[in-house]
Amino acid sequence: GEGNESDWGPWSEPSVCSRKCGGGISSQTRECLNERRECEGGDKKYFSCNTQDCPDHEPDFRQQQCSHFDNTTFDGVFYHWVPYTKAPNPCELNCMPRGQRFYYRHRSKVIDGTRCNDLSMDVCVDGTCQVNLINKISKFSFKILLYSP
């Protein structure tokens, strides 16, 4: 929640949306001004943004993030990286070289707004899969998704 407003400074300007289309995430932060005790409520809030569908020719967002490493050597070899989605944490950027039998965690977090998997509309926010985010968005017309403590 928002907590006691008098303990907090103003919310920052929203961050740049994490995606150009397909449902990105933007955030705002604020600073606790109370020096005597911890402020109640979160210091960061997340919003949905750029929710319009991406063009049909646009590659999958997780694939775009893996492809970023195609032009980087890995153990002295160039690979064509594709998403690996069977790792325990769906919000890590795990990619597998095409035709190989291993995967590598390129980043500890995918970009916010990346789908957790192909089977649901759940998305990753700050490295954590947020379940039923679409339902939360439709309940709140102002589109605040969640607060982070």
Side-chain angles (χ1 to χ4, degrees), residues 38-75:
E38 208 173 291
C39 291
E40 289 183 30
D43 64 351
K44 191 170 192 177
K45 61 183 175 180
Y46 296 90
F47 300 84
S48 62
C49 52
N50 294 344
T51 57
Q52 73 279 10
D53 288 341
C54 293
D56 289 339
H57 66 275
E58 182 105 358
D60 171 77
F61 194 48
R62 190 179 293 264
Q63 174 62 57
Q64 290 177 41
Q65 293 171 67
C66 284
S67 295
H68 177 77
F69 296 95
D70 287 356
N71 297 321
T72 306
T73 59
F74 181 83
D75 285 342

Side-chain angles (χ1 to χ4, degrees), residues 11 27-30 42-46 126 146-149:
W11 287 105
S27 64
Q28 289 179 289
T29 57
R30 63 182 177 174
D43 64 351
K44 191 170 192 177
K45 61 183 175 180
Y46 296 90
D126 195 27
L146 56 115
Y147 287 94
S148 136

Side-chain angles (χ1 to χ4, degrees), residues 74 79-84 86 94-105:
F74 181 83
Y79 290 107
H80 176 71
W81 295 93
V82 296
Y84 179 78
K86 293 179 174 54
N94 293 297
C95 307
M96 186 167 85
R98 187 169 297 212
Q100 301 296 317
R101 294 179 177 226
F102 70 92
Y103 73 92
Y104 182 73
R105 186 183 83 175

Side-chain angles (χ1 to χ4, degrees), residues 66-138:
C66 284
S67 295
H68 177 77
F69 296 95
D70 287 356
N71 297 321
T72 306
T73 59
F74 181 83
D75 285 342
V77 179
F78 287 99
Y79 290 107
H80 176 71
W81 295 93
V82 296
Y84 179 78
T85 56
K86 293 179 174 54
N89 182 350
C91 293
E92 294 175 342
L93 182 61
N94 293 297
C95 307
M96 186 167 85
R98 187 169 297 212
Q100 301 296 317
R101 294 179 177 226
F102 70 92
Y103 73 92
Y104 182 73
R105 186 183 83 175
H106 280 289
R107 294 206 169 112
S108 60
K109 299 176 188 178
V110 291
I111 296 171
D112 287 348
T114 303
R115 294 243 159 44
C116 301
N117 58 59
D118 294 335
L119 306 174
S120 73
M121 297 299 283
D122 303 340
V123 296
C124 296
V125 177
D126 195 27
T128 304
C129 185
Q130 299 297 323
V131 180
N132 292 324
L133 217 51
I134 300 304
N135 292 342
K136 290 179 187 173
I137 292 169
S138 62

Side-chain angles (χ1 to χ4, degrees), residues 8-48:
W8 291 99
W11 287 105
S12 67
E13 289 295 313
S15 65
V16 173
C17 190
S18 63
R19 298 187 64 176
K20 292 183 170 124
C21 59
I25 303 294
S26 178
S27 64
Q28 289 179 289
T29 57
R30 63 182 177 174
E31 193 175 328
C32 179
L33 302 176
N34 191 323
E35 296 175 9
R36 290 178 288 178
R37 69 181 195 291
E38 208 173 291
C39 291
E40 289 183 30
D43 64 351
K44 191 170 192 177
K45 61 183 175 180
Y46 296 90
F47 300 84
S48 62

